[in-house]
Amino acid sequence: MTATSVSSVRVRYAETDQMGITYHGVYFVWFEVARVDLIRGLGFSYRDLEEKEDLRLPVTSAQARFLKPSYYDDVLEIRTHLAELGGASIAFEYEVHREGTPGALATGRTGHAAVNSLGRVRRFPEELRRRLSA
Amino acid sequence: MTATSVSSVRVRYAETDQMGITYHGVYFVWFEVARVDLIRGLGFSYRDLEEKEDLRLPVTSAQARFLKPSYYDDVLEIRTHLAELGGASIAFEYEVHREGTPGALATGRTGHAAVNSLGRVRRFPEELRRRLSA
Amino acid sequence: MTATSVSSVRVRYAETDQMGITYHGVYFVWFEVARVDLIRGLGFSYRDLEEKEDLRLPVTSAQARFLKPSYYDDVLEIRTHLAELGGASIAFEYEVHREGTPGALATGRTGHAAVNSLGRVRRFPEELRRRLSA
Amino acid sequence: MTATSVSSVRVRYAETDQMGITYHGVYFVWFEVARVDLIRGLGFSYRDLEEKEDLRLPVTSAQARFLKPSYYDDVLEIRTHLAELGGASIAFEYEVHREGTPGALATGRTGHAAVNSLGRVRRFPEELRRRLSA
């Protein structure tokens, strides 16, 4: 078993480009929205983790494959799951879907280090780790 | 006399939208680039002002008029001047031009408060004020 | 009576800056989300208006006042109303609120021209005009 | 031998996040700037390739590793090279450097399809292919 979540985003005009599709870089912003939703689904606020637990999860790697375009005003579903949980690192995987279109529009993965506000590697709060790996 | 500067930006693909022009919100980012150039031209780094002088200039108002579109890969010139210098506030005005096109593509103005890192109103460093009003 | 709507946005990490608040330029993106919601509330899709009715509403002016900062993960309410409806122009006004904080965090206004895909001024589709001014 | 280029970008305030570093998604925008510079260095304008040659290079994959943070106002050097040239596909690789800091801050790769304005796969213009593989 592994932590999963489903997020919804609607493509903004600002997120399109002159090719008439969503600019590819925007998917990484959506992935950010999606993993924070996953963490929220476990009962944690990433904002509180930063402010109260001195935990930060800077992105150490990011990748995506863009299989089919998405368009302005599309309502997209982002399916996220925990892909890896290390001592001081974590990775998430993502699939972007649009209702009525078979297969994913895009897939991706982000890797993160667990650090404190000084940038030093640290362990995850115990309760967060427990729920992530439940 | 008043402090002025000229900045250059090239329109990025990410900055276009599906109307095939620059997304209007991007001009406010360019204004930020432009006023920091103006400050640099006076011999100051805005980064150093934040880090070493504990000065921040959050935007309290922003406005723009969009007269003609700009397009992907256009090289634009942003002409900036100091519009107002108060005890703890400052305003800049901007004109965006493209070589060969008469008149401004856009004009704008931003107002800023002078605050410290705690968000408290403060005076400008004396030397900065002096050069701004030279 | 005038057309109004209420939109909800949650501040993304990508939308913050190193001052620890929402970057001011992001509010103009939210205004875009908000006016499209208003149009949707009247029974129209802005996407369909572009694709099927050959109507575009490029921004001709934009302004905002930033009264109090918003922060990462804040859930904000954007209250939008139609401010002006001309023959081939339209303007919207916006207020950004956060539950529990009295007064608006920000206010704004955008003006738009009604043009076709060639950039020529045109009238609004009759039914849209009717509902906007109902 | 392979096509290479060096680009320069200065980190904008809008590109930072509340961690006080450049938001990771921004690197993909810089990569776009960088590969267009590479193409320009070969004597082609990507804009003209779109407009006059009906060539588009949508991103089909993108990845990056973030090794060290970059900060507001940093002047960064992006070293780009052609990594792969297929019949109707192309890939670029990137390294982001900051003067005085040994090693890359980030590395990345983007893959692209060659399509026309209808999204159909097509060959590269012969002269572009020749110079890319020179």
Side-chain angles (χ1 to χ4, degrees), chain D residues 79-99:
Chain D
R79 302 176 192 162
T80 309
H81 69 270
L82 177 68
E84 212 179 301
L85 181 62
S89 68
I90 191 168
F92 300 95
E93 287 178 350
Y94 314 88
E95 283 191 10
V96 181
H97 291 261
R98 180 178 47 217
E99 209 191 340

Side-chain angles (χ1 to χ4, degrees), chain A residues 21-67:
Chain A
I21 61 176
T22 303
Y23 184 75
H24 68 284
V26 172
Y27 288 76
F28 295 100
V29 177
W30 295 342
F31 292 167
E32 171 230 306
V33 170
R35 66 181 167 266
V36 170
D37 279 349
L38 183 148
I39 289 170
R40 187 180 297 112
L42 296 176
F44 289 89
S45 147
Y46 178 67
R47 171 177 171 165
D48 286 351
L49 289 173
E50 280 206 353
E51 286 178 11
K52 297 177 187 163
E53 302 276 352
D54 194 24
L55 174 71
R56 276 159 187 72
L57 297 175
V59 178
T60 51
S61 66
Q63 57 191 91
R65 297 186 73 80
F66 307 99
L67 309 166

Side-chain angles (χ1 to χ4, degrees), chain C residues 37-112:
Chain C
D37 279 349
L38 183 147
I39 289 170
R40 187 179 296 114
L42 296 175
F44 290 90
S45 147
Y46 178 68
R47 171 177 172 165
D48 286 351
L49 289 172
E50 280 206 353
E51 288 178 10
K52 298 178 187 161
E53 303 275 352
D54 194 25
L55 174 70
R56 277 158 186 72
L57 297 175
V59 179
T60 51
S61 65
Q63 58 191 89
R65 298 186 71 81
F66 306 100
L67 309 166
K68 296 167 196 166
S70 65
Y71 300 98
Y72 171 59
D73 210 39
D74 276 355
V75 176
L76 303 175
E77 185 180 288
I78 309 179
R79 302 176 192 162
T80 309
H81 70 270
L82 177 68
E84 213 178 302
L85 181 61
S89 68
I90 191 168
F92 300 94
E93 287 178 350
Y94 313 87
E95 283 192 9
V96 180
H97 290 263
R98 178 178 48 216
E99 210 191 339
T101 304
L105 305 185
T107 61
R109 179 185 175 106
T110 57
H112 306 257

